[in-house]
Amino acid sequence: SLESIPSAWDVAQEFYGNGDVPPIFEVILPFTTSAEELNRLYYYYTKYVVGKGDMTLYGDYRVRDWVGEAYPRSIGIIPLIEDLDHMVVADSIVEEFLKDKEFPYQRVFLARSDPALNYGVVSAELMLRVALQRLSALQSRLDIPLYPVIGAGSSPFRGNLKPINLERAFREYPSAHTLTVQSAFKYDYDPDEVKAGISKIREHVVSEPVPVDEKRVLRIIEKYSAEYRQCLRSLVPVLSGMAGLMPKRRER
């Protein structure tokens, strides 16, 4: 995937003739658990995808003399954080990743849908509150814009993010810079409602996150998620029977 980024640049230059706008300038790392993982991607790209241009092929003939320069020279890495243990320390992961870099901004992708499945809806909401509060504090401390991305589904359990319910999302996540547009926007609503919803998202003015008492919230998450998982175990036979009746993932 990383090796294809300079190829996309070359194709875009041929098609658009614009050398200032890279078609791919950021990549997302799912299931991020550490700054080390982010750095592996970042430095692999800069040192080996772009950096191999300095390697000598024969005599003083370099790779770049043969295939040209690789652009863009660097890319942004967006952590997608999906589990409880790392969601509540998202700020520490981002701070460690940024410490030796000079980016104009940093995106941070916080999952909302899968955490509800794994920890329950209450835990998922509270996890995001803690993460957004800590990222806001980190932004102030580092003086670099941090742009949280919230990835929520349309059902209430998985985020309740849909074109007709955006005001609630803005109240829940006022500091979120980006809300993902998932399948409900594409298939479940009238095109005019979808267009109006996209316009609302674009016009939303980012503000401070909803304040929370972190110690209290973490205790609630611990108790709630334990009870949720216990209840879920008792439902496994019912859920397994229903699962066979559902359309396959991409046939829904």
Side-chain angles (χ1 to χ4, degrees):
S1 298
L2 295 179
E3 292 283 354
S4 72
I5 293 175
S7 297
W9 171 284
D10 292 339
V11 172
Q13 305 322 302
E14 289 295 321
F15 189 84
Y16 294 105
N18 184 349
D20 297 327
V21 182
I24 302 172
F25 54 90
E26 292 173 312
V27 298
I28 298 172
L29 177 64
F31 304 107
T32 298
T33 62
S34 69
E36 182 181 42
E37 295 170 339
L38 302 174
N39 276 318
R40 286 173 188 157
L41 281 181
Y42 178 77
Y43 286 110
Y44 180 91
Y45 183 82
T46 56
K47 290 184 176 181
Y48 297 101
V49 176
V50 175
K52 67 175 177 249
D54 293 324
M55 293 177 61
T56 300
L57 295 173
Y58 183 75
D60 59 356
Y61 195 69
R62 299 168 301 176
V63 171
R64 69 176 60 181
D65 299 325
W66 187 25
V67 300
E69 295 280 5
Y71 293 103
R73 306 300 290 176
S74 66
I75 55 172
I77 311 294
I78 303 172
L80 170 50
I81 304 175
E82 306 182 55
D83 67 296
L84 171 62
D85 291 342
H86 300 99
M87 182 83 74
V88 296
V89 294
D91 58 322
S92 298
I93 293 173
V94 173
E95 184 172 18
E96 177 68 18
F97 175 60
L98 292 176
K99 71 178 184 180
D100 57 350
K101 304 172 185 69
E102 294 184 4
F103 292 147
Y105 66 89
Q106 175 65 42
R107 298 186 196 276
V108 187
F109 199 158
L110 304 175
R112 167 60 179 80
S113 186
D114 281 359
L117 191 63
N118 294 325
Y119 306 100
V121 63
V122 172
S123 298
E125 284 291 332
L126 294 179
M127 287 161 54
L128 280 180
R129 296 286 182 92
V130 173
L132 290 169
Q133 180 167 276
R134 291 183 175 183
L135 287 170
S136 179
L138 178 64
Q139 176 177 259
S140 299
R141 193 162 68 249
L142 297 183
D143 195 27
I144 177 176
L146 300 180
Y147 296 143
V149 181
I150 303 297
S154 62
S155 69
F157 182 78
R158 303 192 75 152
N160 212 8
L161 179 62
K162 45 198 172 189
I164 61 174
N165 198 33
L166 289 171
E167 293 302 328
R168 186 209 61 82
F170 297 149
R171 291 194 301 271
E172 290 285 335
Y173 321 118
S175 63
H177 185 272
T178 303
L179 300 175
T180 60
V181 174
Q182 299 191 14
S183 57
F185 278 80
K186 298 176 184 177
Y187 305 118
D188 297 348
Y189 294 90
D190 182 84
D192 289 337
E193 290 180 318
V194 173
K195 291 177 183 178
I198 296 297
S199 295
K200 284 184 179 180
I201 293 175
R202 289 184 178 276
E203 294 166 1
H204 172 62
V205 178
V206 175
S207 58
E208 293 298 313
V210 177
V212 293
D213 180 339
E214 293 185 7
K215 289 184 178 179
R216 185 183 181 198
V217 161
L218 292 174
R219 288 197 301 269
I220 293 172
I221 291 174
E222 182 180 5
K223 292 181 178 180
Y224 180 89
S225 60
E227 184 66 21
Y228 167 77
R229 290 182 177 187
Q230 184 62 38
C231 291
L232 198 60
R233 290 190 187 96
S234 67
L235 292 173
V236 166
V238 178
L239 295 174
S240 297
M242 292 179 61
L245 305 175
M246 300 294 291
K248 299 300 183 182
R249 179 175 176 83
R250 295 305 174 192
E251 298 175 355
R252 289 180 301 204

